[in-house]
Amino acid sequence: MSTPASEAVERRLYNALWWAKVQSAGPLPVDPDTPAVAGLTRAAEPDGSTVWLVPMIPSGAGHAVLDELGTPPVAVEQPNETARVLAIVVACCWTDRSGSAWPGSVGTLAQVRAVYAGMRGRAEQSSDLTLIIGSLRRLHATHWIRWNEKAGEVRLGPRVINWTAADQATLRDLCRHLPDPPPPVLSTTAEAAEPEPLVPEAADE
């Protein structure tokens, strides 16, 4: 027969187990019936089949805290290009900006390439795809986006669930200053795919 004390211990162990998993692997997709975990936000996928357990980020958290929570900041490798591509994905996937950015809609590589060229104010160059793909891979690895390289489709990642109202207001303003993406042409394949080598990465500008 369980007692309040034993139940409290079990609950602490349960929370500690999930935190260990998140610190090791970052935000985790779980069954919707998974009980809540203290300190982890639940981000439900659009079809309701899966939820993500995402650490709640303390206000003003620095790099050391983010690393401890298993949510490192945007990769510092090629930071300029990575930040540009994240902004473009937000513009392509956050189509209903009257509401929350999560979960957003599916965007395409073609949209990202078009906005990238417009953002740089020039025709697309042969090196652009190299830079874009490298940034998409880094953002996928850190859970800022979900990048299906095989289908050429992208979505916002579960980490955006932690964006505050102030963050989203700033992003809305940013999106207004980016070129409008063309309409998406989506693949009929809905399978998730792990990133596969496509083109080598180039140095940041």
Side-chain angles (χ1 to χ4, degrees):
M1 180 177 177
S2 63
T3 65
S6 65
E7 290 176 356
V9 170
E10 289 178 2
R11 187 65 185 174
R12 285 196 294 271
L13 290 173
Y14 174 82
N15 289 338
L17 174 62
W18 278 108
W19 270 99
K21 291 180 179 179
V22 166
Q23 288 172 323
S24 173
L28 295 171
V30 299
D31 188 275
D33 294 332
T34 302
V37 180
L40 298 183
T41 302
R42 297 165 68 88
E45 288 285 354
D47 62 4
S49 63
T50 305
V51 298
W52 290 82
L53 296 181
V54 185
M56 297 172 65
I57 307 301
S59 177
H63 283 221
V65 173
L66 295 173
D67 286 339
E68 184 178 349
L69 294 176
T71 56
V74 172
V76 295
E77 183 184 359
Q78 299 184 11
N80 293 338
E81 296 304 327
T82 303
R84 287 188 187 106
V85 171
L86 177 57
I88 292 169
V89 173
V90 171
C92 293
C93 297
W94 190 15
T95 53
D96 180 10
R97 293 175 196 150
S98 63
S100 172
W102 174 265
S105 58
V106 178
T108 66
L109 177 59
Q111 287 183 299
V112 173
R113 293 171 68 174
V115 177
Y116 185 92
M119 189 179 187
R120 301 300 295 269
R122 54 166 171 71
E124 184 175 7
Q125 298 183 2
S126 58
S127 61
D128 289 353
L129 182 59
T130 299
L131 296 168
I132 290 169
I133 294 296
S135 296
L136 290 171
R137 289 174 179 164
R138 288 190 293 277
L139 292 166
H140 175 90
T142 48
H143 299 280
W144 284 109
I145 67 169
R146 301 295 296 159
W147 165 230
N148 183 336
E149 191 158 325
K150 182 176 291 186
E153 293 174 357
V154 64
R155 286 183 46 219
L156 293 171
R159 287 186 64 176
V160 309
I161 197 75
N162 279 322
W163 281 341
T164 65
D167 293 332
Q168 294 191 76
T170 299
L171 289 165
R172 286 188 188 95
D173 185 62
L174 173 63
C175 288
R176 284 195 290 269
H177 290 84
L178 292 178
D180 291 330
V185 179
L186 302 179
S187 166
T188 56
T189 303
E191 299 178 71
E194 288 300 316
E196 299 176 13
L198 181 62
V199 287
E201 296 185 15
D204 197 8
E205 296 182 357

PDB file of all heavy atoms in Angstrom, residues 85 109 128-138 147 149 196-201:
ATOM      1  N   VAL A  85      18.137  32.012 -41.809  1.00  0.00           N
ATOM      2  CA  VAL A  85      17.274  30.909 -42.228  1.00  0.00           C
ATOM      3  C   VAL A  85      16.189  30.651 -41.191  1.00  0.00           C
ATOM      4  O   VAL A  85      15.036  30.354 -41.551  1.00  0.00           O
ATOM      5  CB  VAL A  85      18.114  29.642 -42.505  1.00  0.00           C
ATOM      6  CG1 VAL A  85      17.218  28.432 -42.735  1.00  0.00           C
ATOM      7  CG2 VAL A  85      19.008  29.873 -43.724  1.00  0.00           C
ATOM      8  N   LEU A 109      11.323  23.911 -49.003  1.00  0.00           N
ATOM      9  CA  LEU A 109      12.645  24.413 -49.334  1.00  0.00           C
ATOM     10  C   LEU A 109      12.559  25.474 -50.434  1.00  0.00           C
ATOM     11  O   LEU A 109      13.303  26.461 -50.411  1.00  0.00           O
ATOM     12  CB  LEU A 109      13.544  23.254 -49.775  1.00  0.00           C
ATOM     13  CG  LEU A 109      14.961  23.612 -50.219  1.00  0.00           C
ATOM     14  CD1 LEU A 109      15.730  24.309 -49.110  1.00  0.00           C
ATOM     15  CD2 LEU A 109      15.704  22.356 -50.683  1.00  0.00           C
ATOM     16  N   ASP A 128      23.989  29.560 -52.478  1.00  0.00           N
ATOM     17  CA  ASP A 128      22.894  29.765 -51.530  1.00  0.00           C
ATOM     18  C   ASP A 128      22.349  28.455 -50.981  1.00  0.00           C
ATOM     19  O   ASP A 128      22.080  28.332 -49.784  1.00  0.00           O
ATOM     20  CB  ASP A 128      21.745  30.547 -52.193  1.00  0.00           C
ATOM     21  CG  ASP A 128      22.099  32.009 -52.437  1.00  0.00           C
ATOM     22  OD1 ASP A 128      23.169  32.451 -51.970  1.00  0.00           O
ATOM     23  OD2 ASP A 128      21.308  32.699 -53.094  1.00  0.00           O
ATOM     24  N   LEU A 129      22.160  27.463 -51.838  1.00  0.00           N
ATOM     25  CA  LEU A 129      21.588  26.196 -51.388  1.00  0.00           C
ATOM     26  C   LEU A 129      22.479  25.527 -50.354  1.00  0.00           C
ATOM     27  O   LEU A 129      21.989  24.955 -49.377  1.00  0.00           O
ATOM     28  CB  LEU A 129      21.353  25.266 -52.578  1.00  0.00           C
ATOM     29  CG  LEU A 129      20.698  23.911 -52.242  1.00  0.00           C
ATOM     30  CD1 LEU A 129      19.343  24.117 -51.584  1.00  0.00           C
ATOM     31  CD2 LEU A 129      20.573  23.053 -53.492  1.00  0.00           C
ATOM     32  N   THR A 130      23.789  25.612 -50.556  1.00  0.00           N
ATOM     33  CA  THR A 130      24.730  25.050 -49.593  1.00  0.00           C
ATOM     34  C   THR A 130      24.531  25.683 -48.221  1.00  0.00           C
ATOM     35  O   THR A 130      24.453  24.994 -47.202  1.00  0.00           O
ATOM     36  CB  THR A 130      26.178  25.283 -50.064  1.00  0.00           C
ATOM     37  OG1 THR A 130      26.376  24.633 -51.313  1.00  0.00           O
ATOM     38  CG2 THR A 130      27.178  24.752 -49.049  1.00  0.00           C
ATOM     39  N   LEU A 131      24.437  27.006 -48.187  1.00  0.00           N
ATOM     40  CA  LEU A 131      24.280  27.723 -46.919  1.00  0.00           C
ATOM     41  C   LEU A 131      22.928  27.427 -46.282  1.00  0.00           C
ATOM     42  O   LEU A 131      22.824  27.238 -45.067  1.00  0.00           O
ATOM     43  CB  LEU A 131      24.438  29.224 -47.164  1.00  0.00           C
ATOM     44  CG  LEU A 131      25.827  29.674 -47.648  1.00  0.00           C
ATOM     45  CD1 LEU A 131      25.783  31.117 -48.126  1.00  0.00           C
ATOM     46  CD2 LEU A 131      26.852  29.509 -46.539  1.00  0.00           C
ATOM     47  N   ILE A 132      21.883  27.381 -47.086  1.00  0.00           N
ATOM     48  CA  ILE A 132      20.538  27.136 -46.564  1.00  0.00           C
ATOM     49  C   ILE A 132      20.433  25.737 -45.968  1.00  0.00           C
ATOM     50  O   ILE A 132      19.936  25.557 -44.847  1.00  0.00           O
ATOM     51  CB  ILE A 132      19.486  27.331 -47.676  1.00  0.00           C
ATOM     52  CG1 ILE A 132      19.376  28.812 -48.039  1.00  0.00           C
ATOM     53  CG2 ILE A 132      18.129  26.788 -47.244  1.00  0.00           C
ATOM     54  CD1 ILE A 132      18.571  29.074 -49.304  1.00  0.00           C
ATOM     55  N   ILE A 133      20.908  24.730 -46.693  1.00  0.00           N
ATOM     56  CA  ILE A 133      20.818  23.362 -46.202  1.00  0.00           C
ATOM     57  C   ILE A 133      21.610  23.190 -44.914  1.00  0.00           C
ATOM     58  O   ILE A 133      21.150  22.557 -43.955  1.00  0.00           O
ATOM     59  CB  ILE A 133      21.310  22.362 -47.272  1.00  0.00           C
ATOM     60  CG1 ILE A 133      20.379  22.352 -48.475  1.00  0.00           C
ATOM     61  CG2 ILE A 133      21.425  20.953 -46.686  1.00  0.00           C
ATOM     62  CD1 ILE A 133      18.978  21.860 -48.182  1.00  0.00           C
ATOM     63  N   GLY A 134      22.806  23.773 -44.864  1.00  0.00           N
ATOM     64  CA  GLY A 134      23.603  23.686 -43.642  1.00  0.00           C
ATOM     65  C   GLY A 134      22.876  24.294 -42.450  1.00  0.00           C
ATOM     66  O   GLY A 134      22.875  23.729 -41.349  1.00  0.00           O
ATOM     67  N   SER A 135      22.238  25.433 -42.661  1.00  0.00           N
ATOM     68  CA  SER A 135      21.501  26.092 -41.575  1.00  0.00           C
ATOM     69  C   SER A 135      20.283  25.277 -41.160  1.00  0.00           C
ATOM     70  O   SER A 135      19.989  25.147 -39.967  1.00  0.00           O
ATOM     71  CB  SER A 135      21.075  27.493 -42.023  1.00  0.00           C
ATOM     72  OG  SER A 135      22.197  28.317 -42.265  1.00  0.00           O
ATOM     73  N   LEU A 136      19.560  24.731 -42.120  1.00  0.00           N
ATOM     74  CA  LEU A 136      18.393  23.908 -41.799  1.00  0.00           C
ATOM     75  C   LEU A 136      18.800  22.696 -40.965  1.00  0.00           C
ATOM     76  O   LEU A 136      18.103  22.315 -40.012  1.00  0.00           O
ATOM     77  CB  LEU A 136      17.695  23.455 -43.078  1.00  0.00           C
ATOM     78  CG  LEU A 136      16.967  24.538 -43.874  1.00  0.00           C
ATOM     79  CD1 LEU A 136      16.504  23.995 -45.225  1.00  0.00           C
ATOM     80  CD2 LEU A 136      15.770  25.090 -43.091  1.00  0.00           C
ATOM     81  N   ARG A 137      19.916  22.092 -41.289  1.00  0.00           N
ATOM     82  CA  ARG A 137      20.383  20.938 -40.521  1.00  0.00           C
ATOM     83  C   ARG A 137      20.731  21.326 -39.085  1.00  0.00           C
ATOM     84  O   ARG A 137      20.398  20.608 -38.138  1.00  0.00           O
ATOM     85  CB  ARG A 137      21.606  20.316 -41.206  1.00  0.00           C
ATOM     86  CG  ARG A 137      21.285  19.598 -42.497  1.00  0.00           C
ATOM     87  CD  ARG A 137      22.565  19.151 -43.169  1.00  0.00           C
ATOM     88  NE  ARG A 137      22.298  18.423 -44.404  1.00  0.00           N
ATOM     89  CZ  ARG A 137      23.225  18.187 -45.325  1.00  0.00           C
ATOM     90  NH1 ARG A 137      24.457  18.641 -45.158  1.00  0.00           N
ATOM     91  NH2 ARG A 137      22.906  17.502 -46.416  1.00  0.00           N
ATOM     92  N   ARG A 138      21.409  22.467 -38.919  1.00  0.00           N
ATOM     93  CA  ARG A 138      21.765  22.897 -37.563  1.00  0.00           C
ATOM     94  C   ARG A 138      20.519  23.227 -36.737  1.00  0.00           C
ATOM     95  O   ARG A 138      20.428  22.885 -35.562  1.00  0.00           O
ATOM     96  CB  ARG A 138      22.698  24.114 -37.639  1.00  0.00           C
ATOM     97  CG  ARG A 138      24.100  23.768 -38.113  1.00  0.00           C
ATOM     98  CD  ARG A 138      25.049  24.950 -37.950  1.00  0.00           C
ATOM     99  NE  ARG A 138      24.725  26.050 -38.832  1.00  0.00           N
ATOM    100  CZ  ARG A 138      25.116  26.128 -40.106  1.00  0.00           C
ATOM    101  NH1 ARG A 138      25.819  25.160 -40.646  1.00  0.00           N
ATOM    102  NH2 ARG A 138      24.798  27.183 -40.845  1.00  0.00           N
ATOM    103  N   TRP A 147      12.999  19.447 -39.951  1.00  0.00           N
ATOM    104  CA  TRP A 147      13.414  19.518 -41.353  1.00  0.00           C
ATOM    105  C   TRP A 147      13.380  18.131 -41.963  1.00  0.00           C
ATOM    106  O   TRP A 147      14.122  17.235 -41.540  1.00  0.00           O
ATOM    107  CB  TRP A 147      14.812  20.123 -41.418  1.00  0.00           C
ATOM    108  CG  TRP A 147      15.597  19.987 -42.697  1.00  0.00           C
ATOM    109  CD1 TRP A 147      16.881  19.545 -42.807  1.00  0.00           C
ATOM    110  CD2 TRP A 147      15.182  20.329 -44.019  1.00  0.00           C
ATOM    111  NE1 TRP A 147      17.288  19.582 -44.114  1.00  0.00           N
ATOM    112  CE2 TRP A 147      16.260  20.069 -44.886  1.00  0.00           C
ATOM    113  CE3 TRP A 147      13.984  20.831 -44.568  1.00  0.00           C
ATOM    114  CZ2 TRP A 147      16.195  20.283 -46.258  1.00  0.00           C
ATOM    115  CZ3 TRP A 147      13.910  21.043 -45.936  1.00  0.00           C
ATOM    116  CH2 TRP A 147      14.998  20.781 -46.756  1.00  0.00           C
ATOM    117  N   GLU A 149      14.420  16.468 -44.993  1.00  0.00           N
ATOM    118  CA  GLU A 149      15.272  16.763 -46.139  1.00  0.00           C
ATOM    119  C   GLU A 149      14.843  16.002 -47.381  1.00  0.00           C
ATOM    120  O   GLU A 149      14.936  16.509 -48.501  1.00  0.00           O
ATOM    121  CB  GLU A 149      16.731  16.444 -45.791  1.00  0.00           C
ATOM    122  CG  GLU A 149      17.711  16.961 -46.807  1.00  0.00           C
ATOM    123  CD  GLU A 149      19.111  17.127 -46.248  1.00  0.00           C
ATOM    124  OE1 GLU A 149      19.248  17.480 -45.056  1.00  0.00           O
ATOM    125  OE2 GLU A 149      20.067  16.924 -47.006  1.00  0.00           O
ATOM    126  N   GLU A 196      19.789  13.830 -44.642  1.00  0.00           N
ATOM    127  CA  GLU A 196      20.769  13.053 -45.384  1.00  0.00           C
ATOM    128  C   GLU A 196      21.735  14.018 -46.063  1.00  0.00           C
ATOM    129  O   GLU A 196      21.366  15.151 -46.382  1.00  0.00           O
ATOM    130  CB  GLU A 196      20.081  12.191 -46.452  1.00  0.00           C
ATOM    131  CG  GLU A 196      19.102  11.181 -45.871  1.00  0.00           C
ATOM    132  CD  GLU A 196      18.380  10.435 -46.971  1.00  0.00           C
ATOM    133  OE1 GLU A 196      18.827  10.531 -48.139  1.00  0.00           O
ATOM    134  OE2 GLU A 196      17.397   9.758 -46.687  1.00  0.00           O
ATOM    135  N   PRO A 197      22.985  13.595 -46.283  1.00  0.00           N
ATOM    136  CA  PRO A 197      23.938  14.487 -46.943  1.00  0.00           C
ATOM    137  C   PRO A 197      23.415  14.951 -48.297  1.00  0.00           C
ATOM    138  O   PRO A 197      22.901  14.159 -49.073  1.00  0.00           O
ATOM    139  CB  PRO A 197      25.197  13.601 -47.089  1.00  0.00           C
ATOM    140  CG  PRO A 197      25.056  12.583 -46.017  1.00  0.00           C
ATOM    141  CD  PRO A 197      23.584  12.330 -45.900  1.00  0.00           C
ATOM    142  N   LEU A 198      23.521  16.235 -48.563  1.00  0.00           N
ATOM    143  CA  LEU A 198      23.065  16.776 -49.836  1.00  0.00           C
ATOM    144  C   LEU A 198      24.173  17.594 -50.496  1.00  0.00           C
ATOM    145  O   LEU A 198      24.621  17.297 -51.589  1.00  0.00           O
ATOM    146  CB  LEU A 198      21.821  17.645 -49.649  1.00  0.00           C
ATOM    147  CG  LEU A 198      21.228  18.255 -50.926  1.00  0.00           C
ATOM    148  CD1 LEU A 198      20.777  17.171 -51.876  1.00  0.00           C
ATOM    149  CD2 LEU A 198      20.081  19.180 -50.589  1.00  0.00           C
ATOM    150  N   VAL A 199      24.612  18.604 -49.782  1.00  0.00           N
ATOM    151  CA  VAL A 199      25.690  19.425 -50.305  1.00  0.00           C
ATOM    152  C   VAL A 199      26.592  19.816 -49.141  1.00  0.00           C
ATOM    153  O   VAL A 199      26.144  19.906 -48.004  1.00  0.00           O
ATOM    154  CB  VAL A 199      25.142  20.726 -50.976  1.00  0.00           C
ATOM    155  CG1 VAL A 199      24.488  20.411 -52.297  1.00  0.00           C
ATOM    156  CG2 VAL A 199      24.171  21.429 -50.057  1.00  0.00           C
ATOM    157  N   PRO A 200      27.871  20.022 -49.381  1.00  0.00           N
ATOM    158  CA  PRO A 200      28.770  20.444 -48.283  1.00  0.00           C
ATOM    159  C   PRO A 200      28.462  21.845 -47.844  1.00  0.00           C
ATOM    160  O   PRO A 200      27.921  22.647 -48.607  1.00  0.00           O
ATOM    161  CB  PRO A 200      30.162  20.342 -48.920  1.00  0.00           C
ATOM    162  CG  PRO A 200      29.916  20.533 -50.382  1.00  0.00           C
ATOM    163  CD  PRO A 200      28.575  19.875 -50.644  1.00  0.00           C
ATOM    164  N   GLU A 201      28.778  22.162 -46.575  1.00  0.00           N
ATOM    165  CA  GLU A 201      28.550  23.487 -46.052  1.00  0.00           C
ATOM    166  C   GLU A 201      29.682  24.423 -46.476  1.00  0.00           C
ATOM    167  O   GLU A 201      30.823  24.017 -46.642  1.00  0.00           O
ATOM    168  CB  GLU A 201      28.457  23.461 -44.520  1.00  0.00           C
ATOM    169  CG  GLU A 201      27.244  22.656 -44.038  1.00  0.00           C
ATOM    170  CD  GLU A 201      27.107  22.742 -42.538  1.00  0.00           C
ATOM    171  OE1 GLU A 201      27.750  23.629 -41.951  1.00  0.00           O
ATOM    172  OE2 GLU A 201      26.373  21.932 -41.959  1.00  0.00           O
TER     173      GLU A 201
END
